[in-house]
Amino acid sequence: MKAVIFDWAGTMVDYGCFAPLAVFLQVFQKRGIALAIDEAREPMGMLKRDHIRALCQMERVAALWQEKFGRAPDEKDVDELYADFEPLLMATLHDYATPVPGALELVARLRERGLKIGSTTGYTREMMNVVAASAKRQGYEPDALVTPSEVSAGRPYPWMCYQNALLLGVYPMSELVKVGDTTSDMQEGRNAGMWTVGVLKGGSELGLSQQEVADMPAEELQARLANAAARLKAAGAHYVIEEIGRLDEVLDKIERRQAAGEHP
């Protein structure tokens, strides 16, 4: 392994990936459209404008829009929803940059292994300027950060991963690992030709706070973890781990597979 490219919210910071969730619900509710939480989370990890577009294209949401406005949502609606979304999100992002448990210790161990640390996101550069500054004050600063603002398209396209490789000076892509908490992270990593690892606890697919994880009956929690893991694997994850701090174990497995001549 030469480098690990992490997602941000739900993977390394913002346990449960809650920063954008309430804002998505709010901007649609303003128009009389009540999103379900699972619907709002489904496209998580995408560029936020693309996320809003994906929500508008959901069959149930489009039907509600048709019923209320007499037509399907169009690009003008996407623009107007995003115009409401961005300032609301920007006002709260600094509160959602706390590293998840085990993240800082993991990064220290990875650096001891000689690995470089890259990152991709569904946030724009302007948004990440807020998140990255707050995370840095709390001890997390990757070697490279690429947002959809710097490339032609965000996830699931591989361009942000390629740009990370360029900035970090590492190749081939088969010697990099992509780590994230959403299906679009998994697709991004696989499309870039990388080993790809999904994270459950703290991630958007599980969608639970630390307190909810702690309080949930074990049987229910395990069922939810299994469902989230299945979605990540279906999207292309080579491995799924419960917590970010267990990535080391997966890296050891990947290196053994590489030594045997395997590629992602």
Side-chain angles (χ1 to χ4, degrees), residues 219-264:
E219 187 174 339
E220 181 182 353
L221 179 59
Q222 287 305 311
R224 291 199 182 200
L225 288 168
N227 287 336
R231 291 193 295 272
L232 292 170
K233 289 177 180 177
H238 291 99
Y239 294 94
V240 175
I241 54 178
E242 280 201 9
E243 300 174 335
I244 194 65
R246 301 187 65 176
L247 181 64
D248 315 64
E249 303 166 22
V250 168
L251 296 183
D252 292 339
K253 292 178 182 178
I254 291 173
E255 288 184 343
R256 287 194 291 271
R257 293 176 66 176
Q258 286 180 313
E262 290 190 53
H263 299 281

mmCIF file of all heavy atoms in Angstrom, residues 219-264:
data_model
loop_
_atom_site.group_PDB
_atom_site.id
_atom_site.type_symbol
_atom_site.label_atom_id
_atom_site.label_comp_id
_atom_site.label_asym_id
_atom_site.label_seq_id
_atom_site.Cartn_x
_atom_site.Cartn_y
_atom_site.Cartn_z
ATOM 1 N N GLU A 219 -29.341 -7.022 19.325
ATOM 2 C CA GLU A 219 -29.906 -7.742 18.184
ATOM 3 C C GLU A 219 -30.343 -6.775 17.084
ATOM 4 O O GLU A 219 -30.089 -7.018 15.891
ATOM 5 C CB GLU A 219 -31.098 -8.578 18.634
ATOM 6 C CG GLU A 219 -31.653 -9.483 17.549
ATOM 7 C CD GLU A 219 -32.744 -10.399 18.067
ATOM 8 O OE1 GLU A 219 -32.811 -10.627 19.293
ATOM 9 O OE2 GLU A 219 -33.536 -10.893 17.235
ATOM 10 N N GLU A 220 -30.977 -5.657 17.474
ATOM 11 C CA GLU A 220 -31.402 -4.671 16.475
ATOM 12 C C GLU A 220 -30.205 -4.009 15.818
ATOM 13 O O GLU A 220 -30.194 -3.807 14.591
ATOM 14 C CB GLU A 220 -32.296 -3.611 17.122
ATOM 15 C CG GLU A 220 -32.803 -2.571 16.125
ATOM 16 C CD GLU A 220 -33.651 -1.488 16.756
ATOM 17 O OE1 GLU A 220 -33.977 -1.604 17.956
ATOM 18 O OE2 GLU A 220 -33.995 -0.517 16.041
ATOM 19 N N LEU A 221 -29.192 -3.675 16.617
ATOM 20 C CA LEU A 221 -27.996 -3.041 16.063
ATOM 21 C C LEU A 221 -27.312 -3.962 15.061
ATOM 22 O O LEU A 221 -26.906 -3.519 13.974
ATOM 23 C CB LEU A 221 -27.031 -2.663 17.180
ATOM 24 C CG LEU A 221 -25.713 -2.017 16.729
ATOM 25 C CD1 LEU A 221 -25.966 -0.735 15.947
ATOM 26 C CD2 LEU A 221 -24.803 -1.743 17.934
ATOM 27 N N GLN A 222 -27.181 -5.239 15.397
ATOM 28 C CA GLN A 222 -26.529 -6.170 14.479
ATOM 29 C C GLN A 222 -27.304 -6.302 13.175
ATOM 30 O O GLN A 222 -26.711 -6.411 12.093
ATOM 31 C CB GLN A 222 -26.359 -7.538 15.154
ATOM 32 C CG GLN A 222 -25.291 -7.566 16.228
ATOM 33 C CD GLN A 222 -23.936 -7.081 15.728
ATOM 34 O OE1 GLN A 222 -23.453 -7.526 14.670
ATOM 35 N NE2 GLN A 222 -23.316 -6.172 16.450
ATOM 36 N N ALA A 223 -28.629 -6.273 13.254
ATOM 37 C CA ALA A 223 -29.440 -6.353 12.041
ATOM 38 C C ALA A 223 -29.217 -5.122 11.168
ATOM 39 O O ALA A 223 -29.094 -5.230 9.940
ATOM 40 C CB ALA A 223 -30.913 -6.491 12.405
ATOM 41 N N ARG A 224 -29.156 -3.963 11.797
ATOM 42 C CA ARG A 224 -28.929 -2.735 11.043
ATOM 43 C C ARG A 224 -27.532 -2.701 10.439
ATOM 44 O O ARG A 224 -27.338 -2.254 9.303
ATOM 45 C CB ARG A 224 -29.138 -1.517 11.943
ATOM 46 C CG ARG A 224 -30.591 -1.299 12.352
ATOM 47 C CD ARG A 224 -30.787 0.119 12.812
ATOM 48 N NE ARG A 224 -32.133 0.378 13.263
ATOM 49 C CZ ARG A 224 -32.657 1.593 13.345
ATOM 50 N NH1 ARG A 224 -31.924 2.651 13.014
ATOM 51 N NH2 ARG A 224 -33.894 1.770 13.775
ATOM 52 N N LEU A 225 -26.544 -3.160 11.199
ATOM 53 C CA LEU A 225 -25.177 -3.234 10.675
ATOM 54 C C LEU A 225 -25.110 -4.166 9.472
ATOM 55 O O LEU A 225 -24.451 -3.863 8.468
ATOM 56 C CB LEU A 225 -24.217 -3.714 11.768
ATOM 57 C CG LEU A 225 -23.906 -2.728 12.898
ATOM 58 C CD1 LEU A 225 -23.180 -3.434 14.033
ATOM 59 C CD2 LEU A 225 -23.056 -1.558 12.378
ATOM 60 N N ALA A 226 -25.792 -5.301 9.557
ATOM 61 C CA ALA A 226 -25.788 -6.266 8.451
ATOM 62 C C ALA A 226 -26.431 -5.680 7.207
ATOM 63 O O ALA A 226 -25.935 -5.877 6.081
ATOM 64 C CB ALA A 226 -26.507 -7.546 8.880
ATOM 65 N N ASN A 227 -27.529 -4.954 7.378
ATOM 66 C CA ASN A 227 -28.199 -4.334 6.228
ATOM 67 C C ASN A 227 -27.314 -3.280 5.577
ATOM 68 O O ASN A 227 -27.214 -3.207 4.340
ATOM 69 C CB ASN A 227 -29.523 -3.711 6.668
ATOM 70 C CG ASN A 227 -30.591 -4.743 6.970
ATOM 71 O OD1 ASN A 227 -30.533 -5.860 6.460
ATOM 72 N ND2 ASN A 227 -31.556 -4.386 7.807
ATOM 73 N N ALA A 228 -26.663 -2.453 6.400
ATOM 74 C CA ALA A 228 -25.780 -1.417 5.859
ATOM 75 C C ALA A 228 -24.588 -2.048 5.151
ATOM 76 O O ALA A 228 -24.169 -1.598 4.079
ATOM 77 C CB ALA A 228 -25.317 -0.487 6.983
ATOM 78 N N ALA A 229 -24.036 -3.094 5.742
ATOM 79 C CA ALA A 229 -22.899 -3.786 5.126
ATOM 80 C C ALA A 229 -23.287 -4.373 3.775
ATOM 81 O O ALA A 229 -22.521 -4.301 2.807
ATOM 82 C CB ALA A 229 -22.387 -4.884 6.052
ATOM 83 N N ALA A 230 -24.494 -4.933 3.684
ATOM 84 C CA ALA A 230 -24.943 -5.519 2.421
ATOM 85 C C ALA A 230 -25.050 -4.455 1.334
ATOM 86 O O ALA A 230 -24.690 -4.706 0.171
ATOM 87 C CB ALA A 230 -26.289 -6.207 2.629
ATOM 88 N N ARG A 231 -25.523 -3.267 1.685
ATOM 89 C CA ARG A 231 -25.636 -2.193 0.692
ATOM 90 C C ARG A 231 -24.257 -1.737 0.215
ATOM 91 O O ARG A 231 -24.055 -1.485 -0.985
ATOM 92 C CB ARG A 231 -26.417 -1.017 1.280
ATOM 93 C CG ARG A 231 -27.890 -1.311 1.514
ATOM 94 C CD ARG A 231 -28.685 -0.055 1.792
ATOM 95 N NE ARG A 231 -28.296 0.601 3.042
ATOM 96 C CZ ARG A 231 -28.819 0.321 4.224
ATOM 97 N NH1 ARG A 231 -29.733 -0.642 4.340
ATOM 98 N NH2 ARG A 231 -28.431 0.977 5.298
ATOM 99 N N LEU A 232 -23.308 -1.640 1.132
ATOM 100 C CA LEU A 232 -21.955 -1.224 0.754
ATOM 101 C C LEU A 232 -21.282 -2.289 -0.121
ATOM 102 O O LEU A 232 -20.618 -1.957 -1.110
ATOM 103 C CB LEU A 232 -21.118 -0.947 1.997
ATOM 104 C CG LEU A 232 -21.539 0.282 2.818
ATOM 105 C CD1 LEU A 232 -20.794 0.323 4.146
ATOM 106 C CD2 LEU A 232 -21.295 1.578 2.038
ATOM 107 N N LYS A 233 -21.469 -3.545 0.230
ATOM 108 C CA LYS A 233 -20.878 -4.614 -0.576
ATOM 109 C C LYS A 233 -21.505 -4.670 -1.965
ATOM 110 O O LYS A 233 -20.810 -4.881 -2.969
ATOM 111 C CB LYS A 233 -21.035 -5.954 0.138
ATOM 112 C CG LYS A 233 -20.144 -6.094 1.363
ATOM 113 C CD LYS A 233 -20.383 -7.413 2.087
ATOM 114 C CE LYS A 233 -19.497 -7.536 3.312
ATOM 115 N NZ LYS A 233 -19.765 -8.788 4.079
ATOM 116 N N ALA A 234 -22.816 -4.455 -2.026
ATOM 117 C CA ALA A 234 -23.489 -4.454 -3.325
ATOM 118 C C ALA A 234 -22.985 -3.315 -4.206
ATOM 119 O O ALA A 234 -23.011 -3.421 -5.436
ATOM 120 C CB ALA A 234 -24.998 -4.336 -3.129
ATOM 121 N N ALA A 235 -22.513 -2.232 -3.579
ATOM 122 C CA ALA A 235 -21.988 -1.089 -4.332
ATOM 123 C C ALA A 235 -20.520 -1.259 -4.690
ATOM 124 O O ALA A 235 -19.948 -0.391 -5.360
ATOM 125 C CB ALA A 235 -22.178 0.198 -3.523
ATOM 126 N N GLY A 236 -19.905 -2.363 -4.237
ATOM 127 C CA GLY A 236 -18.537 -2.644 -4.666
ATOM 128 C C GLY A 236 -17.486 -2.744 -3.592
ATOM 129 O O GLY A 236 -16.301 -2.919 -3.904
ATOM 130 N N ALA A 237 -17.850 -2.629 -2.320
ATOM 131 C CA ALA A 237 -16.848 -2.705 -1.261
ATOM 132 C C ALA A 237 -16.144 -4.062 -1.267
ATOM 133 O O ALA A 237 -16.800 -5.100 -1.270
ATOM 134 C CB ALA A 237 -17.495 -2.463 0.091
ATOM 135 N N HIS A 238 -14.796 -4.035 -1.259
ATOM 136 C CA HIS A 238 -14.042 -5.279 -1.089
ATOM 137 C C HIS A 238 -14.140 -5.762 0.350
ATOM 138 O O HIS A 238 -14.173 -6.972 0.615
ATOM 139 C CB HIS A 238 -12.561 -5.053 -1.437
ATOM 140 C CG HIS A 238 -12.298 -4.809 -2.884
ATOM 141 N ND1 HIS A 238 -12.129 -3.552 -3.412
ATOM 142 C CD2 HIS A 238 -12.183 -5.674 -3.929
ATOM 143 C CE1 HIS A 238 -11.901 -3.642 -4.713
ATOM 144 N NE2 HIS A 238 -11.932 -4.914 -5.047
ATOM 145 N N TYR A 239 -14.154 -4.807 1.279
ATOM 146 C CA TYR A 239 -14.253 -5.114 2.705
ATOM 147 C C TYR A 239 -15.195 -4.116 3.360
ATOM 148 O O TYR A 239 -15.340 -2.980 2.890
ATOM 149 C CB TYR A 239 -12.884 -5.017 3.395
ATOM 150 C CG TYR A 239 -11.881 -6.047 2.936
ATOM 151 C CD1 TYR A 239 -10.975 -5.758 1.916
ATOM 152 C CD2 TYR A 239 -11.831 -7.311 3.518
ATOM 153 C CE1 TYR A 239 -10.051 -6.705 1.492
ATOM 154 C CE2 TYR A 239 -10.907 -8.263 3.104
ATOM 155 C CZ TYR A 239 -10.016 -7.952 2.084
ATOM 156 O OH TYR A 239 -9.108 -8.896 1.670
ATOM 157 N N VAL A 240 -15.802 -4.529 4.456
ATOM 158 C CA VAL A 240 -16.599 -3.630 5.284
ATOM 159 C C VAL A 240 -16.142 -3.806 6.726
ATOM 160 O O VAL A 240 -16.009 -4.941 7.203
ATOM 161 C CB VAL A 240 -18.111 -3.925 5.170
ATOM 162 C CG1 VAL A 240 -18.893 -3.048 6.144
ATOM 163 C CG2 VAL A 240 -18.594 -3.687 3.746
ATOM 164 N N ILE A 241 -15.877 -2.695 7.409
ATOM 165 C CA ILE A 241 -15.439 -2.727 8.804
ATOM 166 C C ILE A 241 -16.463 -2.002 9.675
ATOM 167 O O ILE A 241 -17.130 -1.082 9.210
ATOM 168 C CB ILE A 241 -14.049 -2.092 8.980
ATOM 169 C CG1 ILE A 241 -13.999 -0.674 8.402
ATOM 170 C CG2 ILE A 241 -12.976 -2.972 8.354
ATOM 171 C CD1 ILE A 241 -12.665 0.046 8.590
ATOM 172 N N GLU A 242 -16.577 -2.428 10.928
ATOM 173 C CA GLU A 242 -17.549 -1.791 11.812
ATOM 174 C C GLU A 242 -17.109 -0.385 12.202
ATOM 175 O O GLU A 242 -17.927 0.530 12.280
ATOM 176 C CB GLU A 242 -17.773 -2.629 13.076
ATOM 177 C CG GLU A 242 -18.712 -3.789 12.872
ATOM 178 C CD GLU A 242 -19.321 -4.293 14.168
ATOM 179 O OE1 GLU A 242 -19.144 -3.630 15.218
ATOM 180 O OE2 GLU A 242 -19.963 -5.355 14.120
ATOM 181 N N GLU A 243 -15.810 -0.209 12.476
ATOM 182 C CA GLU A 243 -15.305 1.073 12.960
ATOM 183 C C GLU A 243 -14.046 1.444 12.209
ATOM 184 O O GLU A 243 -13.271 0.580 11.792
ATOM 185 C CB GLU A 243 -15.015 0.995 14.457
ATOM 186 C CG GLU A 243 -16.236 0.662 15.300
ATOM 187 C CD GLU A 243 -15.891 0.438 16.763
ATOM 188 O OE1 GLU A 243 -14.727 0.075 17.049
ATOM 189 O OE2 GLU A 243 -16.764 0.630 17.611
ATOM 190 N N ILE A 244 -13.814 2.738 12.060
ATOM 191 C CA ILE A 244 -12.665 3.220 11.286
ATOM 192 C C ILE A 244 -11.347 2.731 11.869
ATOM 193 O O ILE A 244 -10.389 2.472 11.139
ATOM 194 C CB ILE A 244 -12.686 4.770 11.192
ATOM 195 C CG1 ILE A 244 -11.710 5.250 10.098
ATOM 196 C CG2 ILE A 244 -12.374 5.414 12.528
ATOM 197 C CD1 ILE A 244 -12.081 4.835 8.704
ATOM 198 N N GLY A 245 -11.294 2.566 13.196
ATOM 199 C CA GLY A 245 -10.053 2.136 13.837
ATOM 200 C C GLY A 245 -9.614 0.734 13.497
ATOM 201 O O GLY A 245 -8.500 0.330 13.846
ATOM 202 N N ARG A 246 -10.469 -0.024 12.793
ATOM 203 C CA ARG A 246 -10.121 -1.398 12.430
ATOM 204 C C ARG A 246 -9.585 -1.502 11.000
ATOM 205 O O ARG A 246 -9.416 -2.610 10.476
ATOM 206 C CB ARG A 246 -11.336 -2.303 12.608
ATOM 207 C CG ARG A 246 -11.869 -2.313 14.045
ATOM 208 C CD ARG A 246 -12.957 -3.321 14.252
ATOM 209 N NE ARG A 246 -12.476 -4.694 14.072
ATOM 210 C CZ ARG A 246 -13.224 -5.772 14.275
ATOM 211 N NH1 ARG A 246 -14.489 -5.633 14.654
ATOM 212 N NH2 ARG A 246 -12.734 -6.985 14.095
ATOM 213 N N LEU A 247 -9.303 -0.377 10.388
ATOM 214 C CA LEU A 247 -8.808 -0.403 9.008
ATOM 215 C C LEU A 247 -7.474 -1.136 8.896
ATOM 216 O O LEU A 247 -7.207 -1.787 7.877
ATOM 217 C CB LEU A 247 -8.666 1.024 8.473
ATOM 218 C CG LEU A 247 -8.174 1.143 7.033
ATOM 219 C CD1 LEU A 247 -9.179 0.525 6.057
ATOM 220 C CD2 LEU A 247 -7.916 2.603 6.654
ATOM 221 N N ASP A 248 -6.640 -1.047 9.929
ATOM 222 C CA ASP A 248 -5.322 -1.694 9.879
ATOM 223 C C ASP A 248 -5.438 -3.177 9.538
ATOM 224 O O ASP A 248 -4.642 -3.714 8.756
ATOM 225 C CB ASP A 248 -4.600 -1.588 11.228
ATOM 226 C CG ASP A 248 -4.659 -0.215 11.859
ATOM 227 O OD1 ASP A 248 -5.780 0.223 12.188
ATOM 228 O OD2 ASP A 248 -3.605 0.397 12.001
ATOM 229 N N GLU A 249 -6.438 -3.839 10.128
ATOM 230 C CA GLU A 249 -6.613 -5.271 9.895
ATOM 231 C C GLU A 249 -6.881 -5.557 8.422
ATOM 232 O O GLU A 249 -6.372 -6.539 7.860
ATOM 233 C CB GLU A 249 -7.779 -5.794 10.742
ATOM 234 C CG GLU A 249 -7.638 -5.543 12.236
ATOM 235 C CD GLU A 249 -8.937 -5.764 12.987
ATOM 236 O OE1 GLU A 249 -9.810 -6.501 12.451
ATOM 237 O OE2 GLU A 249 -9.089 -5.233 14.097
ATOM 238 N N VAL A 250 -7.679 -4.685 7.800
ATOM 239 C CA VAL A 250 -8.001 -4.867 6.388
ATOM 240 C C VAL A 250 -6.777 -4.601 5.517
ATOM 241 O O VAL A 250 -6.532 -5.319 4.533
ATOM 242 C CB VAL A 250 -9.165 -3.943 5.985
ATOM 243 C CG1 VAL A 250 -9.334 -3.903 4.474
ATOM 244 C CG2 VAL A 250 -10.452 -4.414 6.642
ATOM 245 N N LEU A 251 -6.003 -3.585 5.870
ATOM 246 C CA LEU A 251 -4.802 -3.294 5.089
ATOM 247 C C LEU A 251 -3.842 -4.484 5.105
ATOM 248 O O LEU A 251 -3.218 -4.793 4.081
ATOM 249 C CB LEU A 251 -4.097 -2.042 5.635
ATOM 250 C CG LEU A 251 -4.869 -0.726 5.532
ATOM 251 C CD1 LEU A 251 -4.016 0.426 6.040
ATOM 252 C CD2 LEU A 251 -5.331 -0.459 4.104
ATOM 253 N N ASP A 252 -3.726 -5.149 6.235
ATOM 254 C CA ASP A 252 -2.875 -6.342 6.306
ATOM 255 C C ASP A 252 -3.383 -7.420 5.350
ATOM 256 O O ASP A 252 -2.598 -8.075 4.648
ATOM 257 C CB ASP A 252 -2.848 -6.890 7.734
ATOM 258 C CG ASP A 252 -2.135 -5.958 8.699
ATOM 259 O OD1 ASP A 252 -1.336 -5.116 8.242
ATOM 260 O OD2 ASP A 252 -2.381 -6.070 9.925
ATOM 261 N N LYS A 253 -4.707 -7.602 5.301
ATOM 262 C CA LYS A 253 -5.292 -8.596 4.404
ATOM 263 C C LYS A 253 -5.044 -8.231 2.942
ATOM 264 O O LYS A 253 -4.709 -9.090 2.120
ATOM 265 C CB LYS A 253 -6.792 -8.716 4.660
ATOM 266 C CG LYS A 253 -7.152 -9.313 6.013
ATOM 267 C CD LYS A 253 -8.662 -9.340 6.212
ATOM 268 C CE LYS A 253 -9.029 -9.896 7.573
ATOM 269 N NZ LYS A 253 -10.501 -9.892 7.797
ATOM 270 N N ILE A 254 -5.210 -6.944 2.633
ATOM 271 C CA ILE A 254 -4.997 -6.498 1.250
ATOM 272 C C ILE A 254 -3.548 -6.714 0.833
ATOM 273 O O ILE A 254 -3.275 -7.181 -0.285
ATOM 274 C CB ILE A 254 -5.397 -5.020 1.100
ATOM 275 C CG1 ILE A 254 -6.911 -4.866 1.242
ATOM 276 C CG2 ILE A 254 -4.924 -4.462 -0.244
ATOM 277 C CD1 ILE A 254 -7.377 -3.421 1.271
ATOM 278 N N GLU A 255 -2.625 -6.406 1.731
ATOM 279 C CA GLU A 255 -1.211 -6.571 1.382
ATOM 280 C C GLU A 255 -0.857 -8.034 1.163
ATOM 281 O O GLU A 255 -0.030 -8.358 0.295
ATOM 282 C CB GLU A 255 -0.339 -5.928 2.460
ATOM 283 C CG GLU A 255 -0.408 -4.401 2.416
ATOM 284 C CD GLU A 255 0.524 -3.724 3.402
ATOM 285 O OE1 GLU A 255 0.993 -4.392 4.349
ATOM 286 O OE2 GLU A 255 0.778 -2.511 3.230
ATOM 287 N N ARG A 256 -1.499 -8.930 1.912
ATOM 288 C CA ARG A 256 -1.267 -10.366 1.673
ATOM 289 C C ARG A 256 -1.826 -10.774 0.313
ATOM 290 O O ARG A 256 -1.205 -11.575 -0.409
ATOM 291 C CB ARG A 256 -1.896 -11.197 2.796
ATOM 292 C CG ARG A 256 -1.153 -11.115 4.113
ATOM 293 C CD ARG A 256 -1.596 -12.205 5.072
ATOM 294 N NE ARG A 256 -2.948 -12.007 5.552
ATOM 295 C CZ ARG A 256 -3.269 -11.306 6.635
ATOM 296 N NH1 ARG A 256 -2.317 -10.710 7.342
ATOM 297 N NH2 ARG A 256 -4.519 -11.197 7.015
ATOM 298 N N ARG A 257 -2.961 -10.230 -0.051
ATOM 299 C CA ARG A 257 -3.539 -10.544 -1.363
ATOM 300 C C ARG A 257 -2.675 -9.972 -2.487
ATOM 301 O O ARG A 257 -2.493 -10.614 -3.532
ATOM 302 C CB ARG A 257 -4.965 -10.007 -1.450
ATOM 303 C CG ARG A 257 -5.933 -10.723 -0.517
ATOM 304 C CD ARG A 257 -7.325 -10.125 -0.542
ATOM 305 N NE ARG A 257 -7.984 -10.296 -1.833
ATOM 306 C CZ ARG A 257 -9.238 -9.923 -2.099
ATOM 307 N NH1 ARG A 257 -9.955 -9.338 -1.118
ATOM 308 N NH2 ARG A 257 -9.762 -10.129 -3.288
ATOM 309 N N GLN A 258 -2.139 -8.784 -2.265
ATOM 310 C CA GLN A 258 -1.236 -8.201 -3.267
ATOM 311 C C GLN A 258 0.006 -9.058 -3.437
ATOM 312 O O GLN A 258 0.477 -9.280 -4.563
ATOM 313 C CB GLN A 258 -0.823 -6.793 -2.831
ATOM 314 C CG GLN A 258 -1.913 -5.752 -2.998
ATOM 315 C CD GLN A 258 -1.440 -4.391 -2.556
ATOM 316 O OE1 GLN A 258 -0.848 -4.250 -1.493
ATOM 317 N NE2 GLN A 258 -1.690 -3.383 -3.358
ATOM 318 N N ALA A 259 0.534 -9.525 -2.318
ATOM 319 C CA ALA A 259 1.746 -10.364 -2.378
ATOM 320 C C ALA A 259 1.494 -11.648 -3.154
ATOM 321 O O ALA A 259 2.415 -12.211 -3.761
ATOM 322 C CB ALA A 259 2.215 -10.682 -0.967
ATOM 323 N N ALA A 260 0.211 -12.071 -3.160
ATOM 324 C CA ALA A 260 -0.149 -13.287 -3.906
ATOM 325 C C ALA A 260 -0.489 -12.982 -5.366
ATOM 326 O O ALA A 260 -0.906 -13.869 -6.108
ATOM 327 C CB ALA A 260 -1.336 -13.965 -3.234
ATOM 328 N N GLY A 261 -0.350 -11.693 -5.745
ATOM 329 C CA GLY A 261 -0.577 -11.314 -7.131
ATOM 330 C C GLY A 261 -1.967 -10.843 -7.447
ATOM 331 O O GLY A 261 -2.314 -10.657 -8.618
ATOM 332 N N GLU A 262 -2.809 -10.626 -6.436
ATOM 333 C CA GLU A 262 -4.181 -10.172 -6.669
ATOM 334 C C GLU A 262 -4.244 -8.666 -6.891
ATOM 335 O O GLU A 262 -3.418 -7.914 -6.363
ATOM 336 C CB GLU A 262 -5.084 -10.544 -5.485
ATOM 337 C CG GLU A 262 -5.363 -12.027 -5.370
ATOM 338 C CD GLU A 262 -6.446 -12.307 -4.342
ATOM 339 O OE1 GLU A 262 -7.535 -11.697 -4.455
ATOM 340 O OE2 GLU A 262 -6.207 -13.114 -3.430
ATOM 341 N N HIS A 263 -5.237 -8.243 -7.653
ATOM 342 C CA HIS A 263 -5.491 -6.828 -7.902
ATOM 343 C C HIS A 263 -6.962 -6.529 -7.630
ATOM 344 O O HIS A 263 -7.800 -7.416 -7.725
ATOM 345 C CB HIS A 263 -5.145 -6.462 -9.356
ATOM 346 C CG HIS A 263 -3.722 -6.675 -9.717
ATOM 347 N ND1 HIS A 263 -2.719 -5.790 -9.373
ATOM 348 C CD2 HIS A 263 -3.107 -7.703 -10.365
ATOM 349 C CE1 HIS A 263 -1.555 -6.243 -9.801
ATOM 350 N NE2 HIS A 263 -1.761 -7.419 -10.410
ATOM 351 N N PRO A 264 -7.288 -5.270 -7.307
ATOM 352 C CA PRO A 264 -8.695 -4.951 -7.049
ATOM 353 C C PRO A 264 -9.552 -5.062 -8.308
ATOM 354 O O PRO A 264 -9.050 -4.943 -9.405
ATOM 355 C CB PRO A 264 -8.630 -3.501 -6.556
ATOM 356 C CG PRO A 264 -7.345 -2.960 -7.086
ATOM 357 C CD PRO A 264 -6.409 -4.122 -7.132
#
